[in-house]
Amino acid sequence: MGERGRKHAMLEIKNLHASVEGREILRGVDLTVRAGEVHAIMGPNGSGKSTLAQVLGGHPAYTVAEGSVLFEGKDLLAMKPEDRAREGVFVAFQYPVAIRGITNAYFLRSAVNAIRKHRGEEELGPVEFMDRLEDKLRVIGWDSSYLSRPVNEGFSGGEKKRNEILQMAVLEPKLAILDETDSGLDIDALKTVAHTVDKLRRPDNATVLVTHYYRILTHIAPDFVHVLSDGRIVKSGGKDLALELEEKGYDWIREGAAVA
Amino acid sequence: MRDENQLHAAVVELVALDNATIKYSTIQNWYPGDEEGRGGIYNFVTKRGKCLGKDSKISWTQVETGSAITWKYPGCILQGDNSIGEFYSVAVTNQRQQADTGTKMIHIGKNTRSTIVSKGISAGRGQNTYRGLVKILKGAEHARNYSQCDSMLIGDQCGAHTFPYIDVRNSTAIMEHEASTSKIGEDQIFYCKQRGLSAEDAVGMIVNGFCREVFKELPMEFAVEAQRLLGISLEGSVG
């Protein structure tokens, strides 16, 4: 822990309160994520897991009433969603939308170039971009036919999730927030997705896995596991906590939290 | 007070003889006027085509972006047997613009076929109307028509209207009509933004994707131009 203590906090969430359509969902979330770490956020349905992901991404339907979020020392909540993305925050969505008539390749290249431009780097042409894309495709086990298909249109649930991971692999974010990327995947797809996420781990990036299930954590070992319940993190621990949750469910934590 | 609006009234007539194909592409970017439409062009156009010969074909492709008011209905009289009529249209209205456009496909000959693909995009206080006629005459054995009218709304003060007239006098005809209206979604824009795209680029991309079926009918240089024009026409339509 001493060594970790020296690493700077990439994401610092303090007392975050957020609501959607007038309902308060997050009621004081505290969370610190350092570079190189993988955090799993677990919790029952309706506990606020997805809300946390959407709020960090900057979805306009969510209002933050209280609290602060620092990303690399900057006020994340003051940034526009596109600036958060350009600074290196990536959200893999639970229900990715389709964009009709726009190919995956074009969409990806536009995103990469928007981010490169922000960093003061030169934009990539189609040929140059395709060269870089090939490796990433191989990692998630896709052939190039997926690139000429419209973004998520006619994709199965599993394909959409893989597509999110492809985008993540291509955009190389500093902080990736995966919102239930594992749900709706069959075992093989889950393995591919999990291995890709694992391969992308570096000492200078971090991952927050929002998940229902222990399953994905057998492939990606988290450094920390947090339980979100009623909009607060009520328990944090190591990988063992996930196993305990798998065996006992969430009720014992909720009861414990009520007593405390 | 004197009205400052200007009028553009063009007439185009096409005749296709045996085995001839005519492809007529237009990108219109006349002046829409100021924010209230003052001083804009009234674009009232007559465009008609006649497939007179056997196996002839006339294809109209149009991208309408600029005028204060557009009234335009390029049509095809499908007189020659096996002749083909096509109409591909994108119409964009922003601010106070009005576009009332569509086509007439009049099937006279045998085995005549027509395809209509219309994409209307309304933003600001713009109004977009598709108004079209498909008429199958008595002698037009085995005529076919496929029509698709898609409307996209950006914001909450614009309008989309569709008036498809279908008049079939021969029971061997096969007609298909599909129509859709969609609102450009907050979730779609957010998705693009979360990948680093600006609001304007996001809208431009979503709208261009929506128009793809028409743009792919345009000659290469036109298609590039049309995409840029669409972006300019919709500038400032999303906050």
Side-chain angles (χ1 to χ4, degrees), chain A:
Chain A
M1 284 310 242
E3 199 186 327
R4 274 214 182 92
R6 281 202 299 277
K7 276 197 176 167
H8 73 285
M10 180 182 278
L11 181 73
E12 254 187 307
I13 304 175
K14 280 190 181 145
N15 191 32
L16 185 65
H17 290 250
S19 55
V20 62
E21 289 164 1
R23 275 181 306 128
E24 191 179 40
I25 309 285
L26 300 182
R27 304 158 187 264
V29 172
D30 294 287
L31 179 68
T32 301
V33 178
R34 295 187 166 79
E37 294 175 349
V38 173
H39 290 242
I41 297 186
M42 304 184 75
N45 276 330
S47 58
K49 301 190 301 292
S50 286
T51 298
L52 181 61
Q54 298 281 0
V55 168
L56 293 176
H59 194 290
Y62 296 82
T63 327
V64 174
E66 218 184 311
S68 65
V69 180
L70 293 181
F71 175 68
E72 304 267 69
K74 292 180 198 162
D75 182 358
L76 188 75
L77 300 176
M79 287 185 219
K80 291 193 280 190
E82 57 269 40
D83 289 328
R84 300 181 194 197
R86 293 167 188 169
E87 289 284 327
V89 177
F90 179 91
V91 180
F93 292 101
Q94 191 178 356
Y95 305 108
V97 299
I99 304 171
R100 146 182 192 193
I102 296 296
T103 62
N104 240 349
Y106 183 80
F107 181 72
L108 273 170
R109 189 163 64 89
S110 303
V112 165
N113 281 338
I115 291 168
R116 288 180 71 91
K117 208 171 147 191
H118 180 72
R119 292 189 193 141
E121 295 166 0
E122 215 169 295
E123 295 185 29
L124 297 176
V127 178
E128 227 179 331
F129 177 68
M130 281 304 194
D131 286 346
R132 296 182 183 218
L133 205 53
E134 262 174 31
D135 293 345
K136 315 279 184 180
L137 271 176
R138 212 169 306 129
V139 173
I140 64 153
W142 270 1
D143 60 58
S144 56
S145 70
Y146 282 91
L147 296 176
S148 48
R149 286 173 59 176
V151 182
N152 292 330
E153 196 168 70
F155 281 36
S156 71
E159 285 175 330
K160 285 183 187 171
K161 298 295 178 75
R162 271 194 211 216
N163 208 17
E164 294 292 284
I165 298 305
L166 173 65
Q167 293 178 10
M168 172 182 157
V170 171
L171 298 177
E172 299 178 334
K174 287 182 196 156
L175 174 68
I177 302 153
L178 310 185
D179 187 6
E180 301 203 17
T181 302
D182 53 336
S183 44
L185 291 182
D186 60 38
I187 294 169
D188 291 332
L190 180 78
K191 262 191 197 161
T192 313
V193 164
H195 286 159
T196 309
V197 173
D198 206 43
K199 257 185 225 168
L200 295 171
R201 281 178 81 161
R202 288 199 319 249
D204 60 343
N205 66 18
T207 308
V208 175
L209 285 170
V210 173
T211 182
H212 252 310
Y213 306 106
Y214 175 70
R215 227 170 34 152
I216 193 169
L217 303 179
T218 60
H219 299 285
I220 310 166
D223 300 295
F224 299 95
V225 174
H226 310 276
V227 180
L228 194 65
S229 180
D230 290 327
R232 267 187 219 104
I233 289 177
V234 292
K235 196 166 177 61
S236 297
K239 199 190 168 187
D240 297 343
L241 177 58
L243 193 61
E244 206 173 347
L245 290 168
E246 173 78 1
E247 284 165 3
K248 296 196 206 165
Y250 291 112
D251 287 344
W252 63 283
I253 286 178
R254 271 195 278 202
E255 282 154 22
V259 173

Side-chain angles (χ1 to χ4, degrees), chain B residues 190-229:
Chain B
F190 176 61
Y191 188 70
C192 296
K193 283 183 176 176
Q194 215 303 306
R195 300 300 182 250
L197 301 172
S198 66
E200 301 226 311
D201 287 347
V203 171
M205 185 179 276
I206 294 162
V207 172
N208 273 309
F210 174 76
C211 298
R212 215 190 92 80
E213 290 139 292
V214 174
F215 285 171
K216 71 173 197 236
E217 297 297 326
L218 288 167
M220 182 68 160
E221 318 79 72
F222 267 43
V224 174
E225 185 91 350
Q227 284 189 27
R228 291 215 186 105
L229 208 52

Side-chain angles (χ1 to χ4, degrees), chain B residues 3 7 9 13-14 17-18 21-22 33-34 42 54 59 68 86 95 117 127 131 133 155 157 173 180 182 208 210 221:
Chain B
D3 198 336
L7 174 67
E13 291 184 321
L14 308 177
L17 302 180
D18 285 1
T21 294
I22 306 173
D34 66 11
Y42 295 155
K54 279 187 297 190
S59 182
E86 291 177 340
Q95 295 181 345
V117 179
Q127 298 295 325
R131 193 184 303 275
L133 168 70
Q157 293 184 66
S180 76
S182 54
N208 273 309
F210 174 76
E221 318 79 72

